[in-house]
């Protein structure tokens, strides 16, 4: 159940600065919080600031259910912690746990644990089998943290994938998922079902089967950093039972949405990646309004639809900088907000048709991007096809020879195409009847 209360946290900082920040500084205060979290990464908690789940009966033998003991330790950490330490071991969870406000669930690892080397803290998730809408394995209450653990679903199968509830759900302000590996979650990280702000999702490695990260109902500045989705975290793991075999690539290509982004204000996504998805990054209104996002150094690899923008906020839209996409970006017919891609690269897969499909009334701006290998079937399709709204291409390079770079179709309002490099005699095929300027 989502938290229905408005949690207000008051923090007193002791330092050299005594002046209060002005209004302009308040909105920018969030990066300082993130920096503080990052600077504390390597700090080992003092013994008097933590409780051990072993002291509350957790065994960690992979056989006995440790759910009640772990929850008791987490509850105790509210007054005896704030850290609930889970020593190295394999902890079977037949149920769900909740990390209380301000408490950290900390595993035994100095960094990001790897499923090929499961010598630290491993949570074995048995609860919720067959119940996609059931309680999450771990719920984070306001300012709760989970970090330095591996989570594995021993009873997951392939190709008959079993639905499970979300692995981790955030519920409130400044919830954090740090340095976590998830071998085979059906639904990995949920910051959309409950209202939230200022979430931090950093250094997460996983093979999600349906949804990687879901963000919605975020009303202020969430951060997603260094999130990497790749089947190797399941196929190469050294946990038992081993990977069951089967065509994991084919399954993901038909089912996985890497990043599902709805209502969020000023979401920052950086250094994040997904391979073999049905859709890499999907932006839409999932019931609470659309969002606006700045995405840098991120990409989707080996997929037919790297990015789908169905709806983003009309006043702010979405920006991609230094992205890598293999292969297609689609801007849907209902989108109202601007979509901007700067210094991005595009490569094909065998099924690639166009690499940019622009529909609907919004604006699309492409700057210093390069495109290679579209129209893999040689069907005469263009790299960029625009049939709605406004289009700007500046300083882009179209690297395929004897293939149509740009086609402008009826429904387009206006286009500006300047300073681009082409390898085709007819670089722009204009059937739009729109105001088109090129040079």
């Amino acid at each position: 159940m989502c938290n229905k209360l408005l949690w207000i946290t008051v923090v007193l900082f002791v330092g050299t600065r005594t002046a209060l920040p002005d209004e302009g500084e308040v909105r920018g205060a969030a990066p300082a919080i993130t920096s503080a979290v990052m600077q504390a990464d390597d700090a080992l908690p003092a013994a008097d600031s933590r409780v051990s789940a072993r002291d509350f009966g957790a065994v960690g033998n992979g056989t006995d259910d440790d759910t009640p003991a772990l929850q008791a330790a987490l509850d105790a950490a509210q007054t005896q912690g704030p850290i609930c330490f889970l020593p190295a071991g394999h902890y079977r969870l037949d149920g769900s746990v909740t990390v209380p406000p301000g408490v950290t669930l900390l595993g035994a690892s100095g960094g990001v644990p790897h499923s090929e080397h499961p010598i630290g803290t491993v949570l074995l998730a048995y609860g919720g089998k067959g119940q996609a809408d059931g309680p999450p394995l771990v719920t984070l209450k306001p300012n709760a943290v989970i970090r330095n653990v591996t989570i594995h679903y021993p009873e997951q199968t392939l190709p008959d994938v079993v639905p499970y509830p979300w692995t981790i759900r955030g519920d409130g302000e400044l919830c954090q998922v740090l340095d976590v590996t998830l071998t085979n979650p059906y639904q990995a990280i949920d910051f959309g079902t409950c209202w939230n702000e200022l979430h931090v999702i950093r250094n997460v490695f996983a093979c999600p089967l349906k949804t990687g990260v879901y963000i919605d109902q975020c009303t202020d500045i969430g951060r997603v950093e260094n999130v990497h989705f790749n089947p190797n975290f399941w196929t190469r793991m050294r946990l038992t039972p081993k990977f069951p075999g089967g065509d994991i690539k084919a399954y993901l290509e038909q089912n996985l949405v890497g990043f599902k982004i709805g209502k969020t204000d000023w979401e920052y996504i950086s250094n994040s990646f997904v391979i073999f998805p049905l859709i890499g990054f999907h932006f839409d209104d999932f019931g609470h309004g659309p969002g606006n996002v700045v995405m840098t150094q991120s990409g989707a690899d080996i997929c037919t639809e790297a990015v789908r923008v169905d709806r983003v906020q009309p006043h702010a839209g979405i920006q991609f900088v230094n992205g890598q996409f293999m292969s297609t970006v689609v801007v849907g017919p209902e989108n109202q907000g601007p979509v901007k891609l700067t210094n991005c690269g595009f490569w094909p897969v065998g099924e690639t048709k166009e690499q940019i499909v622009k529909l609907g009334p919004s604006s699309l701006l492409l700057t210093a991007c390069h495109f290679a290998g579209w129209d893999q079937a040689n069907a005469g399709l263009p790299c960029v096809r625009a049939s709605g709204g406004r289009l700007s291409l500046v300083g882009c390079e179209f690297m395929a020879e004897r293939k149509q770079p740009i086609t402008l179709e009826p429904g387009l309002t206006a286009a500006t195409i300047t300073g681009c490099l082409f390898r085709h005699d007819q670089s722009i095929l204009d059937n739009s009847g729109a105001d088109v300027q090129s040079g």
Side-chain angles (χ1 to χ4, degrees):
M1 179 179 294
C2 297
N3 175 46
K4 299 300 183 183
L5 299 177
L6 176 62
W7 292 85
I8 301 176
T9 303
V10 178
V11 182
L12 301 179
F13 293 93
V14 179
T16 56
R17 177 174 177 172
T18 58
L20 293 175
D22 61 28
E23 182 178 358
E25 291 177 291
V26 170
R27 193 169 183 90
I33 295 174
T34 302
S35 298
V37 172
M38 296 175 71
Q39 291 167 4
D41 277 355
D42 298 325
L44 184 66
D48 59 0
S49 69
R50 63 184 185 178
V51 300
S52 173
R54 291 288 179 91
D55 294 337
F56 291 81
V59 180
N61 60 10
T63 303
D64 296 331
D65 180 18
D66 284 318
T67 308
L70 178 54
Q71 188 61 64
L74 288 166
D75 293 341
Q78 293 183 89
T79 56
Q80 302 174 39
I83 293 170
C84 175
F85 180 59
L86 202 53
H90 291 192
Y91 297 84
R92 176 173 177 143
L93 299 181
D94 289 345
S96 300
V97 297
T98 297
V99 184
V103 170
T104 293
L105 174 56
L106 175 66
S109 174
V112 183
H114 199 300
S115 55
E116 289 188 50
H117 310 283
I119 61 175
T121 302
V122 179
L123 303 182
L124 301 177
Y126 285 89
K129 185 176 181 180
Q131 303 172 38
D133 296 326
L137 180 71
V138 178
T139 296
L140 303 176
K141 290 299 183 178
N143 197 214
V145 182
I146 182 171
R147 63 181 310 164
N148 302 111
V149 299
T150 297
I151 301 178
H152 174 55
Y153 290 78
E155 296 183 326
Q156 187 56 271
T157 60
L158 187 75
D160 298 322
V161 168
V162 179
Y164 278 87
W166 288 100
T167 302
I168 301 170
R169 173 175 291 164
D171 179 9
E173 288 187 300
L174 201 59
C175 299
Q176 299 162 53
V177 181
L178 310 174
D179 303 335
V180 170
T181 294
L182 312 172
T183 59
N184 55 353
Y186 184 69
Q187 305 171 103
I189 298 176
D190 172 19
F191 279 83
T193 298
C194 299
W195 171 85
N196 67 99
E197 288 186 343
L198 301 172
H199 56 254
V200 180
I201 306 168
R202 189 178 73 239
N203 295 347
V204 174
F205 297 80
C207 173
L209 302 175
K210 180 184 178 184
T211 309
V213 171
Y214 170 41
I215 295 172
D216 203 0
Q217 302 194 72
C218 177
T219 49
D220 197 19
I221 310 181
R223 286 168 172 78
V224 179
E225 305 168 351
N226 305 325
V227 175
H228 189 95
F229 295 143
N230 190 308
N232 293 340
F233 297 105
W234 189 16
T235 62
R236 298 179 183 177
M237 71 171 188
R238 294 186 181 179
L239 290 163
T240 56
K242 295 181 179 180
F243 174 67
D247 194 343
I248 182 64
K249 176 177 179 289
Y251 180 86
L252 296 177
E253 288 174 335
Q254 296 176 29
N255 295 278
L256 173 62
V257 176
F259 299 81
K260 179 180 174 181
I261 313 296
K263 165 68 175 179
T264 182
D265 289 326
W266 287 25
E267 187 77 27
Y268 293 134
I269 300 176
S270 62
N271 303 321
S272 294
F273 172 89
V274 58
I275 191 170
F276 306 139
L278 173 67
I279 302 175
F281 297 82
H282 188 197
F283 303 87
D284 203 353
D285 178 352
F286 297 106
H288 301 279
N292 71 80
V293 179
V294 176
M295 195 166 87
T296 60
Q297 280 84 23
S298 297
D301 194 10
I302 310 181
C303 56
T304 55
E305 202 160 301
V307 176
R308 170 170 282 277
V309 182
D310 282 322
R311 293 173 184 84
V312 291
Q313 291 179 1
H315 72 285
I318 184 170
Q319 303 174 44
F320 302 85
V321 181
N322 298 340
Q324 296 179 316
F325 304 109
M326 189 175 181
S327 60
T328 301
V329 170
V330 178
V331 182
E334 302 300 323
N335 180 55
Q336 301 286 331
V339 179
K340 304 177 183 180
L341 295 97
T342 302
N343 197 37
C344 295
F346 292 78
W347 295 269
V349 295
E351 299 78 19
T352 297
K353 298 177 181 179
E354 304 95 340
Q355 289 179 318
I356 299 288
V357 177
K358 170 65 179 73
L359 309 171
S362 65
S363 298
L364 172 63
L365 295 86
L366 302 166
T367 305
C369 297
H370 71 275
F371 305 88
W374 64 92
D375 189 22
Q376 285 290 290
N378 295 312
L381 297 173
C383 177
V384 176
R385 176 167 62 87
S387 59
R390 291 170 169 79
L391 174 69
S392 171
L393 288 103
V394 178
C396 294
E397 182 173 10
F398 296 83
M399 302 176 69
E401 298 183 4
R402 297 182 296 278
K403 293 188 177 183
Q404 181 64 42
I406 302 168
T407 294
L408 308 179
E409 298 180 342
L412 187 71
T413 301
T416 299
I417 303 168
T418 59
C420 295
L421 301 176
F422 301 103
R423 292 169 173 80
H424 190 276
D425 293 337
Q426 187 179 14
S427 56
I428 304 170
L429 180 59
D430 182 11
N431 298 318
S432 68
D435 179 13
V436 177
Q437 303 177 20
S438 62

